């Protein structure tokens, strides 16, 4: 609803949102300064050690934050296991057999619980881990506003409907992000996340075999690891040039039809976002700044604050 999707609200709408209890309350970068001064350093070292063991984990942790925030806000709902009362989000189409990093989050959360029991939310942990992951892979840094609390439920159906699919057209991508209050420009900047990480053959097979807007040499090399049938879980990098560096190579690839996903190549396919791709391709600093700002905005989607929700002790379970 409008309370969630618009960051600039007229006064009457602010009042209405407040009365409905969905006003986006203030987060603060100093939220844990006295209650858990080691929170940020604990998360940073946990992320660094995970990323040094496996660089892809940085990508997986970034995606975890996105899939949390786009489903009823950044409330760590994505981390909940299924219970008798609800089916969680882990088995949703976009997440199943795909989303990773839950064990890294568990490890860091147990360190946070030892240092300051019951203080640091799983939702803040995921938001900071996403930032630290981008930094660990050479990308921009930003200050993460904190004070999110954790949900006591999850929504399989919202996960299935709110996370954009790789089969979407440009207009479908624009509207999926506009539904969450983002401009097309912010959508392009956030898509630059695909400068790191991997995707499964099953996700890009149709783009590879049935679409024409893919570089022929690139397609041939992908086919070796992604047959027209079978090998569904075989992985290829989203950024063929530098898959473990957070840089602007993703946009340069799109300009030469080396986008891995159908949805990636939609951003540079003769449509309204071509110019933005050109800008980010030729100006890395602009991409980094716009990306960081859009990440802060994404992290502010409908947080639970005050006495809403809880601080989970175990990110997988409601207390
Ligand atoms: C624009 C719409 C988007 C679509 C359609 C999309 C779709 C996908 C798909 C299908 C995958 C591969 C999943 C698999 O093969 O199992 C993927 C991977 C990934 N996505 Fe997106 N995504 C989008 C936007 C974003 C955004 C906004 C972020 C972060 C802010 C993001 C971060 C990532 C990362 C880092 C990976 C690699 C994960 C890994 O290697 O574990 N994506 N995305």
């Amino acid at each position: 609803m409008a309370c969630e999707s618009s960051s600039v609200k007229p006064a009457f709408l602010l009042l209405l949102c407040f009365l409905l209890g969905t006003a986006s309350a203030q987060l603060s970068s100093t939220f844990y300064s006295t209650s858990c001064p080691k929170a940020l350093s604990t998360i940073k070292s946990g992320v660094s050690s995970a990323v040094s063991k496996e660089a892809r984990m940085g990508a997986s942790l970034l995606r975890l934050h996105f899939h949390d925030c786009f489903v009823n806000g950044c409330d760590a709902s994505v981390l909940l296991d299924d219970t008798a009362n609800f089916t969680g989000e882990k088995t949703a189409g976009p997440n199943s057999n795909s989303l990773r990093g839950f064990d890294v989050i568990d490890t860091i959360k147990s360190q946070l619980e030892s240092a300051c029991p019951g203080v640091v939310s799983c939702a803040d942990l995921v938001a900071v881990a996403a930032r630290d992951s981008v930094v660990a892979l050479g990308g921009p840094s930003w200050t993460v506003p904190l004070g999110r609390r954790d949900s006591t439920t999850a929504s399989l159906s919202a996960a299935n409907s709110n996370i954009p699919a790789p089969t979407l057209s440009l207009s479908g991508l624009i509207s999926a992000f506009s539904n969450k209050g983002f401009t097309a420009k912010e959508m392009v900047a956030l898509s630059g996340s695909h400068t790191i990480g991997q995707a499964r053959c099953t996700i890009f097979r149709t783009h590879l075999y049935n679409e024409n807007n893919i570089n022929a040499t690139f397609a041939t090399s992908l086919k070796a690891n992604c047959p027209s049938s079978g090998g569904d879980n075989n992985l290829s990098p989203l950024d063929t040039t530098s898959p473990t560096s957070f840089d602007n190579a993703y946009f340069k690839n799109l300009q030469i039809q080396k986008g891995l996903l159908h949805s990636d190549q939609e951003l540079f396919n003769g449509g309204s976002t071509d110019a933005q791709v050109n800008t980010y391709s030729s100006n890395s600093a602009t991409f980094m700044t716009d990306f960081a700002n859009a990440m802060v905005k994404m992290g502010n989607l409908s947080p639970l604050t005050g006495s809403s929700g809880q601080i989970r002790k175990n990110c997988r379970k409601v207390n």
Side-chain angles (χ1 to χ4, degrees), residues 56 59-60 62-63 66 97-98 100 164-166 173 177 187 190-191 193-194 196-200 203 238 261 263 291 295 298:
R56 184 190 174 196
S60 305
L62 172 59
R63 187 170 185 232
F66 169 47
N97 199 18
S98 179
R100 328 170 54 245
L173 292 166
F177 279 76
M187 183 275 287
L190 288 170
S191 298
S193 295
H194 289 182
I196 53 174
Q198 312 256 332
R200 291 168 299 152
I203 297 289
L238 285 155
L261 310 185
S263 50
F291 178 79
M295 285 299 295
M298 189 179 88

PDB file of all heavy atoms in Angstrom, residues 56 59-60 62-63 66 97-98 100 164-166 173 177 187 190-191 193-194 196-200 203 238 261 263 291 295 298, ligand 1:
ATOM      1  N   ARG A  56      31.845 -16.089  -3.595  1.00  0.00           N
ATOM      2  CA  ARG A  56      30.429 -16.011  -3.983  1.00  0.00           C
ATOM      3  C   ARG A  56      29.519 -15.716  -2.805  1.00  0.00           C
ATOM      4  O   ARG A  56      28.409 -15.187  -2.993  1.00  0.00           O
ATOM      5  CB  ARG A  56      30.007 -17.328  -4.654  1.00  0.00           C
ATOM      6  CG  ARG A  56      28.587 -17.252  -5.167  1.00  0.00           C
ATOM      7  CD  ARG A  56      28.031 -18.588  -5.613  1.00  0.00           C
ATOM      8  NE  ARG A  56      26.632 -18.478  -5.961  1.00  0.00           N
ATOM      9  CZ  ARG A  56      25.816 -19.507  -6.097  1.00  0.00           C
ATOM     10  NH1 ARG A  56      26.275 -20.737  -5.934  1.00  0.00           N
ATOM     11  NH2 ARG A  56      24.551 -19.310  -6.397  1.00  0.00           N
ATOM     12  N   ALA A  59      27.991 -12.358  -2.715  1.00  0.00           N
ATOM     13  CA  ALA A  59      26.825 -12.187  -3.591  1.00  0.00           C
ATOM     14  C   ALA A  59      25.579 -12.765  -2.937  1.00  0.00           C
ATOM     15  O   ALA A  59      24.495 -12.154  -2.947  1.00  0.00           O
ATOM     16  CB  ALA A  59      27.089 -12.863  -4.933  1.00  0.00           C
ATOM     17  N   SER A  60      25.734 -13.921  -2.329  1.00  0.00           N
ATOM     18  CA  SER A  60      24.574 -14.600  -1.732  1.00  0.00           C
ATOM     19  C   SER A  60      24.003 -13.779  -0.576  1.00  0.00           C
ATOM     20  O   SER A  60      22.777 -13.693  -0.409  1.00  0.00           O
ATOM     21  CB  SER A  60      24.985 -15.997  -1.271  1.00  0.00           C
ATOM     22  OG  SER A  60      25.549 -16.713  -2.357  1.00  0.00           O
ATOM     23  N   LEU A  62      24.224 -10.504  -0.234  1.00  0.00           N
ATOM     24  CA  LEU A  62      23.578  -9.310  -0.806  1.00  0.00           C
ATOM     25  C   LEU A  62      22.167  -9.659  -1.283  1.00  0.00           C
ATOM     26  O   LEU A  62      21.183  -8.950  -1.012  1.00  0.00           O
ATOM     27  CB  LEU A  62      24.430  -8.776  -1.968  1.00  0.00           C
ATOM     28  CG  LEU A  62      23.815  -7.647  -2.801  1.00  0.00           C
ATOM     29  CD1 LEU A  62      23.486  -6.419  -1.949  1.00  0.00           C
ATOM     30  CD2 LEU A  62      24.754  -7.262  -3.953  1.00  0.00           C
ATOM     31  N   ARG A  63      22.054 -10.776  -1.959  1.00  0.00           N
ATOM     32  CA  ARG A  63      20.740 -11.188  -2.478  1.00  0.00           C
ATOM     33  C   ARG A  63      19.750 -11.494  -1.358  1.00  0.00           C
ATOM     34  O   ARG A  63      18.548 -11.220  -1.479  1.00  0.00           O
ATOM     35  CB  ARG A  63      20.926 -12.416  -3.374  1.00  0.00           C
ATOM     36  CG  ARG A  63      19.653 -12.823  -4.099  1.00  0.00           C
ATOM     37  CD  ARG A  63      19.947 -13.880  -5.139  1.00  0.00           C
ATOM     38  NE  ARG A  63      18.772 -14.202  -5.931  1.00  0.00           N
ATOM     39  CZ  ARG A  63      18.320 -15.438  -6.111  1.00  0.00           C
ATOM     40  NH1 ARG A  63      18.951 -16.467  -5.569  1.00  0.00           N
ATOM     41  NH2 ARG A  63      17.251 -15.644  -6.842  1.00  0.00           N
ATOM     42  N   PHE A  66      18.002  -8.346  -0.350  1.00  0.00           N
ATOM     43  CA  PHE A  66      17.006  -7.985  -1.369  1.00  0.00           C
ATOM     44  C   PHE A  66      15.736  -8.840  -1.211  1.00  0.00           C
ATOM     45  O   PHE A  66      14.610  -8.308  -1.153  1.00  0.00           O
ATOM     46  CB  PHE A  66      17.653  -8.179  -2.745  1.00  0.00           C
ATOM     47  CG  PHE A  66      16.729  -8.119  -3.946  1.00  0.00           C
ATOM     48  CD1 PHE A  66      15.792  -7.107  -4.090  1.00  0.00           C
ATOM     49  CD2 PHE A  66      16.831  -9.080  -4.957  1.00  0.00           C
ATOM     50  CE1 PHE A  66      14.956  -7.062  -5.223  1.00  0.00           C
ATOM     51  CE2 PHE A  66      16.016  -9.045  -6.075  1.00  0.00           C
ATOM     52  CZ  PHE A  66      15.073  -8.036  -6.201  1.00  0.00           C
ATOM     53  N   ASN A  97      16.137 -23.783  -3.570  1.00  0.00           N
ATOM     54  CA  ASN A  97      17.309 -24.327  -4.273  1.00  0.00           C
ATOM     55  C   ASN A  97      18.192 -23.217  -4.855  1.00  0.00           C
ATOM     56  O   ASN A  97      18.896 -23.420  -5.833  1.00  0.00           O
ATOM     57  CB  ASN A  97      16.839 -25.270  -5.399  1.00  0.00           C
ATOM     58  CG  ASN A  97      17.934 -26.208  -5.845  1.00  0.00           C
ATOM     59  OD1 ASN A  97      18.917 -26.407  -5.134  1.00  0.00           O
ATOM     60  ND2 ASN A  97      17.783 -26.769  -7.038  1.00  0.00           N
ATOM     61  N   SER A  98      18.099 -22.029  -4.283  1.00  0.00           N
ATOM     62  CA  SER A  98      18.773 -20.880  -4.869  1.00  0.00           C
ATOM     63  C   SER A  98      19.354 -19.938  -3.828  1.00  0.00           C
ATOM     64  O   SER A  98      20.534 -19.569  -3.904  1.00  0.00           O
ATOM     65  CB  SER A  98      17.756 -20.141  -5.760  1.00  0.00           C
ATOM     66  OG  SER A  98      18.328 -19.014  -6.339  1.00  0.00           O
ATOM     67  N   ARG A 100      21.060 -18.543  -0.567  1.00  0.00           N
ATOM     68  CA  ARG A 100      22.119 -19.125   0.256  1.00  0.00           C
ATOM     69  C   ARG A 100      22.560 -18.131   1.326  1.00  0.00           C
ATOM     70  O   ARG A 100      22.184 -16.972   1.297  1.00  0.00           O
ATOM     71  CB  ARG A 100      23.360 -19.477  -0.558  1.00  0.00           C
ATOM     72  CG  ARG A 100      23.156 -19.873  -1.924  1.00  0.00           C
ATOM     73  CD  ARG A 100      24.353 -20.011  -2.843  1.00  0.00           C
ATOM     74  NE  ARG A 100      25.417 -20.867  -2.396  1.00  0.00           N
ATOM     75  CZ  ARG A 100      26.639 -20.439  -2.104  1.00  0.00           C
ATOM     76  NH1 ARG A 100      26.926 -19.151  -2.190  1.00  0.00           N
ATOM     77  NH2 ARG A 100      27.577 -21.292  -1.722  1.00  0.00           N
ATOM     78  N   PRO A 164      10.923  -9.980  -8.284  1.00  0.00           N
ATOM     79  CA  PRO A 164      10.826  -9.979  -9.753  1.00  0.00           C
ATOM     80  C   PRO A 164      11.430 -11.247 -10.369  1.00  0.00           C
ATOM     81  O   PRO A 164      12.448 -11.745  -9.912  1.00  0.00           O
ATOM     82  CB  PRO A 164      11.616  -8.729 -10.167  1.00  0.00           C
ATOM     83  CG  PRO A 164      12.415  -8.330  -8.972  1.00  0.00           C
ATOM     84  CD  PRO A 164      11.732  -8.870  -7.768  1.00  0.00           C
ATOM     85  N   ALA A 165      10.782 -11.734 -11.414  1.00  0.00           N
ATOM     86  CA  ALA A 165      11.228 -12.957 -12.090  1.00  0.00           C
ATOM     87  C   ALA A 165      12.172 -12.616 -13.242  1.00  0.00           C
ATOM     88  O   ALA A 165      12.042 -11.559 -13.865  1.00  0.00           O
ATOM     89  CB  ALA A 165      10.015 -13.719 -12.630  1.00  0.00           C
ATOM     90  N   PRO A 166      13.091 -13.519 -13.565  1.00  0.00           N
ATOM     91  CA  PRO A 166      14.051 -13.271 -14.649  1.00  0.00           C
ATOM     92  C   PRO A 166      13.418 -13.345 -16.034  1.00  0.00           C
ATOM     93  O   PRO A 166      14.071 -13.046 -17.021  1.00  0.00           O
ATOM     94  CB  PRO A 166      15.092 -14.382 -14.450  1.00  0.00           C
ATOM     95  CG  PRO A 166      14.375 -15.463 -13.708  1.00  0.00           C
ATOM     96  CD  PRO A 166      13.357 -14.778 -12.851  1.00  0.00           C
ATOM     97  N   LEU A 173       9.830  -5.259 -15.177  1.00  0.00           N
ATOM     98  CA  LEU A 173      10.860  -4.948 -14.174  1.00  0.00           C
ATOM     99  C   LEU A 173      10.606  -3.572 -13.572  1.00  0.00           C
ATOM    100  O   LEU A 173      10.679  -3.393 -12.348  1.00  0.00           O
ATOM    101  CB  LEU A 173      12.257  -4.985 -14.808  1.00  0.00           C
ATOM    102  CG  LEU A 173      12.742  -6.371 -15.259  1.00  0.00           C
ATOM    103  CD1 LEU A 173      13.961  -6.251 -16.167  1.00  0.00           C
ATOM    104  CD2 LEU A 173      13.052  -7.258 -14.055  1.00  0.00           C
ATOM    105  N   PHE A 177       9.596  -2.845  -9.474  1.00  0.00           N
ATOM    106  CA  PHE A 177      10.343  -1.950  -8.573  1.00  0.00           C
ATOM    107  C   PHE A 177       9.520  -0.729  -8.201  1.00  0.00           C
ATOM    108  O   PHE A 177       9.611  -0.222  -7.082  1.00  0.00           O
ATOM    109  CB  PHE A 177      11.699  -1.568  -9.195  1.00  0.00           C
ATOM    110  CG  PHE A 177      12.737  -2.636  -8.991  1.00  0.00           C
ATOM    111  CD1 PHE A 177      12.719  -3.803  -9.754  1.00  0.00           C
ATOM    112  CD2 PHE A 177      13.713  -2.517  -8.013  1.00  0.00           C
ATOM    113  CE1 PHE A 177      13.654  -4.820  -9.555  1.00  0.00           C
ATOM    114  CE2 PHE A 177      14.653  -3.526  -7.798  1.00  0.00           C
ATOM    115  CZ  PHE A 177      14.628  -4.677  -8.578  1.00  0.00           C
ATOM    116  N   MET A 187      16.141   1.027 -10.220  1.00  0.00           N
ATOM    117  CA  MET A 187      16.062  -0.386 -10.605  1.00  0.00           C
ATOM    118  C   MET A 187      17.313  -0.792 -11.375  1.00  0.00           C
ATOM    119  O   MET A 187      17.897  -1.851 -11.126  1.00  0.00           O
ATOM    120  CB  MET A 187      14.793  -0.619 -11.437  1.00  0.00           C
ATOM    121  CG  MET A 187      14.530  -2.049 -11.848  1.00  0.00           C
ATOM    122  SD  MET A 187      15.367  -2.537 -13.350  1.00  0.00           S
ATOM    123  CE  MET A 187      14.390  -1.637 -14.572  1.00  0.00           C
ATOM    124  N   LEU A 190      20.281  -0.928  -8.897  1.00  0.00           N
ATOM    125  CA  LEU A 190      20.229  -2.120  -8.037  1.00  0.00           C
ATOM    126  C   LEU A 190      20.536  -3.394  -8.818  1.00  0.00           C
ATOM    127  O   LEU A 190      21.127  -4.335  -8.290  1.00  0.00           O
ATOM    128  CB  LEU A 190      18.858  -2.229  -7.357  1.00  0.00           C
ATOM    129  CG  LEU A 190      18.590  -1.202  -6.245  1.00  0.00           C
ATOM    130  CD1 LEU A 190      17.134  -1.249  -5.814  1.00  0.00           C
ATOM    131  CD2 LEU A 190      19.519  -1.443  -5.043  1.00  0.00           C
ATOM    132  N   SER A 191      20.140  -3.413 -10.095  1.00  0.00           N
ATOM    133  CA  SER A 191      20.437  -4.572 -10.939  1.00  0.00           C
ATOM    134  C   SER A 191      21.937  -4.759 -11.119  1.00  0.00           C
ATOM    135  O   SER A 191      22.399  -5.869 -11.428  1.00  0.00           O
ATOM    136  CB  SER A 191      19.783  -4.431 -12.313  1.00  0.00           C
ATOM    137  OG  SER A 191      18.379  -4.378 -12.183  1.00  0.00           O
ATOM    138  N   SER A 193      23.887  -5.212  -9.002  1.00  0.00           N
ATOM    139  CA  SER A 193      24.251  -6.315  -8.096  1.00  0.00           C
ATOM    140  C   SER A 193      24.688  -7.542  -8.870  1.00  0.00           C
ATOM    141  O   SER A 193      25.462  -8.356  -8.370  1.00  0.00           O
ATOM    142  CB  SER A 193      23.047  -6.727  -7.244  1.00  0.00           C
ATOM    143  OG  SER A 193      22.669  -5.708  -6.388  1.00  0.00           O
ATOM    144  N   HIS A 194      24.162  -7.698 -10.068  1.00  0.00           N
ATOM    145  CA  HIS A 194      24.516  -8.861 -10.878  1.00  0.00           C
ATOM    146  C   HIS A 194      25.923  -8.750 -11.451  1.00  0.00           C
ATOM    147  O   HIS A 194      26.290  -9.517 -12.328  1.00  0.00           O
ATOM    148  CB  HIS A 194      23.470  -9.090 -11.972  1.00  0.00           C
ATOM    149  CG  HIS A 194      22.157  -9.592 -11.422  1.00  0.00           C
ATOM    150  ND1 HIS A 194      21.080  -9.905 -12.214  1.00  0.00           N
ATOM    151  CD2 HIS A 194      21.755  -9.839 -10.153  1.00  0.00           C
ATOM    152  CE1 HIS A 194      20.068 -10.314 -11.460  1.00  0.00           C
ATOM    153  NE2 HIS A 194      20.455 -10.272 -10.194  1.00  0.00           N
ATOM    154  N   ILE A 196      28.185  -9.441  -9.449  1.00  0.00           N
ATOM    155  CA  ILE A 196      28.765 -10.527  -8.646  1.00  0.00           C
ATOM    156  C   ILE A 196      27.766 -11.694  -8.606  1.00  0.00           C
ATOM    157  O   ILE A 196      26.574 -11.502  -8.819  1.00  0.00           O
ATOM    158  CB  ILE A 196      29.097 -10.082  -7.192  1.00  0.00           C
ATOM    159  CG1 ILE A 196      27.877  -9.441  -6.510  1.00  0.00           C
ATOM    160  CG2 ILE A 196      30.292  -9.129  -7.182  1.00  0.00           C
ATOM    161  CD1 ILE A 196      28.091  -9.102  -5.035  1.00  0.00           C
ATOM    162  N   GLY A 197      28.277 -12.876  -8.349  1.00  0.00           N
ATOM    163  CA  GLY A 197      27.416 -14.035  -8.120  1.00  0.00           C
ATOM    164  C   GLY A 197      27.139 -14.874  -9.359  1.00  0.00           C
ATOM    165  O   GLY A 197      27.652 -14.608 -10.443  1.00  0.00           O
ATOM    166  N   GLN A 198      26.306 -15.871  -9.154  1.00  0.00           N
ATOM    167  CA  GLN A 198      26.090 -16.903 -10.161  1.00  0.00           C
ATOM    168  C   GLN A 198      24.607 -17.181 -10.358  1.00  0.00           C
ATOM    169  O   GLN A 198      23.794 -16.872  -9.495  1.00  0.00           O
ATOM    170  CB  GLN A 198      26.723 -18.219  -9.668  1.00  0.00           C
ATOM    171  CG  GLN A 198      28.129 -18.080  -9.141  1.00  0.00           C
ATOM    172  CD  GLN A 198      29.180 -18.587 -10.093  1.00  0.00           C
ATOM    173  OE1 GLN A 198      28.920 -19.482 -10.898  1.00  0.00           O
ATOM    174  NE2 GLN A 198      30.362 -18.023 -10.023  1.00  0.00           N
ATOM    175  N   ALA A 199      24.290 -17.774 -11.490  1.00  0.00           N
ATOM    176  CA  ALA A 199      22.910 -18.214 -11.730  1.00  0.00           C
ATOM    177  C   ALA A 199      22.926 -19.623 -12.307  1.00  0.00           C
ATOM    178  O   ALA A 199      23.919 -20.055 -12.911  1.00  0.00           O
ATOM    179  CB  ALA A 199      22.195 -17.256 -12.670  1.00  0.00           C
ATOM    180  N   ARG A 200      21.797 -20.326 -12.117  1.00  0.00           N
ATOM    181  CA  ARG A 200      21.665 -21.702 -12.584  1.00  0.00           C
ATOM    182  C   ARG A 200      21.224 -21.751 -14.043  1.00  0.00           C
ATOM    183  O   ARG A 200      20.434 -20.919 -14.492  1.00  0.00           O
ATOM    184  CB  ARG A 200      20.638 -22.447 -11.713  1.00  0.00           C
ATOM    185  CG  ARG A 200      21.095 -22.714 -10.285  1.00  0.00           C
ATOM    186  CD  ARG A 200      19.933 -23.181  -9.429  1.00  0.00           C
ATOM    187  NE  ARG A 200      18.882 -22.164  -9.363  1.00  0.00           N
ATOM    188  CZ  ARG A 200      17.600 -22.421  -9.172  1.00  0.00           C
ATOM    189  NH1 ARG A 200      17.167 -23.652  -9.051  1.00  0.00           N
ATOM    190  NH2 ARG A 200      16.734 -21.427  -9.118  1.00  0.00           N
ATOM    191  N   ILE A 203      17.716 -21.132 -15.150  1.00  0.00           N
ATOM    192  CA  ILE A 203      17.251 -19.746 -15.130  1.00  0.00           C
ATOM    193  C   ILE A 203      17.545 -19.023 -16.454  1.00  0.00           C
ATOM    194  O   ILE A 203      16.782 -18.161 -16.888  1.00  0.00           O
ATOM    195  CB  ILE A 203      17.939 -18.985 -13.967  1.00  0.00           C
ATOM    196  CG1 ILE A 203      17.555 -19.581 -12.611  1.00  0.00           C
ATOM    197  CG2 ILE A 203      17.675 -17.499 -14.020  1.00  0.00           C
ATOM    198  CD1 ILE A 203      16.140 -19.334 -12.190  1.00  0.00           C
ATOM    199  N   LEU A 238      27.050 -14.330 -13.338  1.00  0.00           N
ATOM    200  CA  LEU A 238      26.168 -13.280 -13.874  1.00  0.00           C
ATOM    201  C   LEU A 238      26.986 -12.225 -14.617  1.00  0.00           C
ATOM    202  O   LEU A 238      26.516 -11.637 -15.584  1.00  0.00           O
ATOM    203  CB  LEU A 238      25.382 -12.638 -12.724  1.00  0.00           C
ATOM    204  CG  LEU A 238      24.231 -13.505 -12.182  1.00  0.00           C
ATOM    205  CD1 LEU A 238      23.913 -13.144 -10.739  1.00  0.00           C
ATOM    206  CD2 LEU A 238      22.998 -13.378 -13.054  1.00  0.00           C
ATOM    207  N   LEU A 261      21.005 -13.238 -17.844  1.00  0.00           N
ATOM    208  CA  LEU A 261      19.569 -13.484 -17.701  1.00  0.00           C
ATOM    209  C   LEU A 261      18.796 -12.690 -18.751  1.00  0.00           C
ATOM    210  O   LEU A 261      19.220 -11.590 -19.141  1.00  0.00           O
ATOM    211  CB  LEU A 261      19.079 -13.071 -16.305  1.00  0.00           C
ATOM    212  CG  LEU A 261      19.847 -13.591 -15.085  1.00  0.00           C
ATOM    213  CD1 LEU A 261      19.140 -13.169 -13.797  1.00  0.00           C
ATOM    214  CD2 LEU A 261      20.012 -15.097 -15.133  1.00  0.00           C
ATOM    215  N   SER A 263      16.244 -11.011 -18.088  1.00  0.00           N
ATOM    216  CA  SER A 263      15.943  -9.731 -17.431  1.00  0.00           C
ATOM    217  C   SER A 263      17.145  -8.785 -17.458  1.00  0.00           C
ATOM    218  O   SER A 263      16.970  -7.562 -17.567  1.00  0.00           O
ATOM    219  CB  SER A 263      15.493  -9.964 -15.986  1.00  0.00           C
ATOM    220  OG  SER A 263      16.402 -10.817 -15.303  1.00  0.00           O
ATOM    221  N   PHE A 291      24.151   3.204  -6.581  1.00  0.00           N
ATOM    222  CA  PHE A 291      23.891   1.889  -5.988  1.00  0.00           C
ATOM    223  C   PHE A 291      23.796   2.011  -4.465  1.00  0.00           C
ATOM    224  O   PHE A 291      22.836   1.509  -3.856  1.00  0.00           O
ATOM    225  CB  PHE A 291      24.992   0.893  -6.389  1.00  0.00           C
ATOM    226  CG  PHE A 291      24.792  -0.466  -5.773  1.00  0.00           C
ATOM    227  CD1 PHE A 291      23.880  -1.365  -6.314  1.00  0.00           C
ATOM    228  CD2 PHE A 291      25.496  -0.848  -4.636  1.00  0.00           C
ATOM    229  CE1 PHE A 291      23.661  -2.608  -5.724  1.00  0.00           C
ATOM    230  CE2 PHE A 291      25.286  -2.089  -4.047  1.00  0.00           C
ATOM    231  CZ  PHE A 291      24.371  -2.970  -4.596  1.00  0.00           C
ATOM    232  N   MET A 295      20.589   1.210  -2.167  1.00  0.00           N
ATOM    233  CA  MET A 295      20.633   0.162  -1.132  1.00  0.00           C
ATOM    234  C   MET A 295      20.105   0.681   0.205  1.00  0.00           C
ATOM    235  O   MET A 295      19.406  -0.034   0.918  1.00  0.00           O
ATOM    236  CB  MET A 295      22.064  -0.367  -0.967  1.00  0.00           C
ATOM    237  CG  MET A 295      22.518  -1.295  -2.078  1.00  0.00           C
ATOM    238  SD  MET A 295      21.540  -2.818  -2.253  1.00  0.00           S
ATOM    239  CE  MET A 295      21.888  -3.646  -0.716  1.00  0.00           C
ATOM    240  N   MET A 298      16.425   0.723  -0.188  1.00  0.00           N
ATOM    241  CA  MET A 298      15.867  -0.630  -0.108  1.00  0.00           C
ATOM    242  C   MET A 298      15.843  -1.120   1.346  1.00  0.00           C
ATOM    243  O   MET A 298      14.877  -1.748   1.786  1.00  0.00           O
ATOM    244  CB  MET A 298      16.693  -1.587  -0.976  1.00  0.00           C
ATOM    245  CG  MET A 298      16.063  -2.955  -1.132  1.00  0.00           C
ATOM    246  SD  MET A 298      17.049  -4.037  -2.194  1.00  0.00           S
ATOM    247  CE  MET A 298      18.149  -4.754  -0.992  1.00  0.00           C
TER     248      MET A 298
HETATM  249  C1  LIG B   1      15.967  -6.559 -11.467  1.00  0.00           C
HETATM  250  C2  LIG B   1      15.333  -7.664 -11.132  1.00  0.00           C
HETATM  251  C3  LIG B   1      16.070  -8.901 -10.677  1.00  0.00           C
HETATM  252  C4  LIG B   1      15.857 -10.145 -11.141  1.00  0.00           C
HETATM  253  C5  LIG B   1      14.852 -10.567 -12.194  1.00  0.00           C
HETATM  254  C6  LIG B   1      16.799 -11.008 -10.482  1.00  0.00           C
HETATM  255  C7  LIG B   1      16.897 -12.372 -10.668  1.00  0.00           C
HETATM  256  C8  LIG B   1      17.930 -13.151 -10.217  1.00  0.00           C
HETATM  257  C9  LIG B   1      18.095 -14.545 -10.517  1.00  0.00           C
HETATM  258  C10 LIG B   1      17.108 -15.381 -11.318  1.00  0.00           C
HETATM  259  C11 LIG B   1      19.261 -14.967  -9.966  1.00  0.00           C
HETATM  260  C12 LIG B   1      19.878 -16.363 -10.066  1.00  0.00           C
HETATM  261  C13 LIG B   1      19.133 -17.327  -9.162  1.00  0.00           C
HETATM  262  C14 LIG B   1      19.518 -18.763  -9.416  1.00  0.00           C
HETATM  263  O1  LIG B   1      20.055 -19.096 -10.457  1.00  0.00           O
HETATM  264  O2  LIG B   1      19.254 -19.602  -8.534  1.00  0.00           O
HETATM  265  C15 LIG B   1      19.833 -13.829  -9.297  1.00  0.00           C
HETATM  266  C16 LIG B   1      21.022 -13.839  -8.625  1.00  0.00           C
HETATM  267  C17 LIG B   1      21.481 -12.780  -7.884  1.00  0.00           C
HETATM  268  N1  LIG B   1      20.807 -11.596  -7.656  1.00  0.00           N
HETATM  269 FE1  LIG B   1      19.220 -10.921  -8.659  1.00  0.00          FE
HETATM  270  N2  LIG B   1      17.556 -10.268  -9.617  1.00  0.00           N
HETATM  271  C18 LIG B   1      17.134  -8.969  -9.698  1.00  0.00           C
HETATM  272  C19 LIG B   1      17.586  -7.924  -8.933  1.00  0.00           C
HETATM  273  C20 LIG B   1      18.525  -8.050  -7.925  1.00  0.00           C
HETATM  274  C21 LIG B   1      18.783  -7.063  -6.920  1.00  0.00           C
HETATM  275  C22 LIG B   1      18.028  -5.754  -6.759  1.00  0.00           C
HETATM  276  C23 LIG B   1      19.801  -7.561  -6.148  1.00  0.00           C
HETATM  277  C24 LIG B   1      20.448  -6.966  -4.934  1.00  0.00           C
HETATM  278  C25 LIG B   1      20.225  -5.759  -4.468  1.00  0.00           C
HETATM  279  C26 LIG B   1      20.177  -8.830  -6.712  1.00  0.00           C
HETATM  280  C27 LIG B   1      21.221  -9.615  -6.283  1.00  0.00           C
HETATM  281  C28 LIG B   1      21.569 -10.832  -6.836  1.00  0.00           C
HETATM  282  C29 LIG B   1      22.827 -11.509  -6.568  1.00  0.00           C
HETATM  283  C30 LIG B   1      23.978 -10.940  -5.783  1.00  0.00           C
HETATM  284  C31 LIG B   1      22.760 -12.748  -7.207  1.00  0.00           C
HETATM  285  C32 LIG B   1      23.807 -13.870  -7.177  1.00  0.00           C
HETATM  286  C33 LIG B   1      23.568 -14.691  -5.909  1.00  0.00           C
HETATM  287  C34 LIG B   1      24.517 -15.839  -5.673  1.00  0.00           C
HETATM  288  O3  LIG B   1      25.476 -16.043  -6.406  1.00  0.00           O
HETATM  289  O4  LIG B   1      24.265 -16.578  -4.687  1.00  0.00           O
HETATM  290  N3  LIG B   1      19.364  -9.117  -7.761  1.00  0.00           N
HETATM  291  N4  LIG B   1      18.998 -12.753  -9.443  1.00  0.00           N
END
